[in-house]
Amino acid sequence: MPRVNRSRLIPVPIERVWEVVSDPHHLPRWWPRAVRVEDVRVEEGEAVQWTTVLGTEKGGRVRADYRRTGGETGRSLAWSQGVAGTPFERILKSAAVEIELEPEGEGSRVTLAVNEVLRGISRLGSPLMRGAAKRRLDEALANLDHALVGAR
């Protein structure tokens, strides 16, 4: 599946956005289906590995392990999901998220991108996965806006 990008202007300074997106403990506030975050490993003051417990549509829970793969402090962040040996392995070869922050006026332009490489027969579902990724990123941006600004 090709990379999917979504962007939104959030009317808060870039430093406030960074405080939330760079700390995995905040994921339940804004990342879709994130219920809680566990086992955060920090190196040199930045989170480099964590587990997110995700809620399923049927009320179950599934654990997803992530590791930071790049970024520039205060401006960008990238992480990838470990799929080997997990329920996600049936569908995905790899999954990665990138976050870019740019000052825009008195606010911040937040761009989220996902790149999910589908496995085997799952590749036939690429158009459906692309649509789901767009909806997930739009929801994440709306949740992030709400977490930082509140209801408008």
Side-chain angles (χ1 to χ4, degrees), residues 123-137:
R123 292 183 310 226
L124 297 175
S126 186
L128 293 174
M129 289 290 286
R130 186 175 177 79
K134 286 179 182 178
R135 287 188 299 278
R136 187 170 66 246
L137 294 182

Side-chain angles (χ1 to χ4, degrees), residues 110-131:
V110 180
T111 301
L112 301 179
V114 295
N115 189 5
E116 297 172 327
V117 179
L118 301 176
R119 180 180 298 284
I121 194 79
S122 297
R123 292 183 310 226
L124 297 175
S126 186
L128 293 174
M129 289 290 286
R130 186 175 177 79

Side-chain angles (χ1 to χ4, degrees), residues 65-85:
D65 296 321
Y66 297 93
R67 66 181 171 80
R68 185 175 176 157
T69 56
E72 178 186 339
T73 301
R75 303 290 271 193
S76 64
L77 180 64
W79 71 69
S80 66
Q81 179 180 351
V83 295

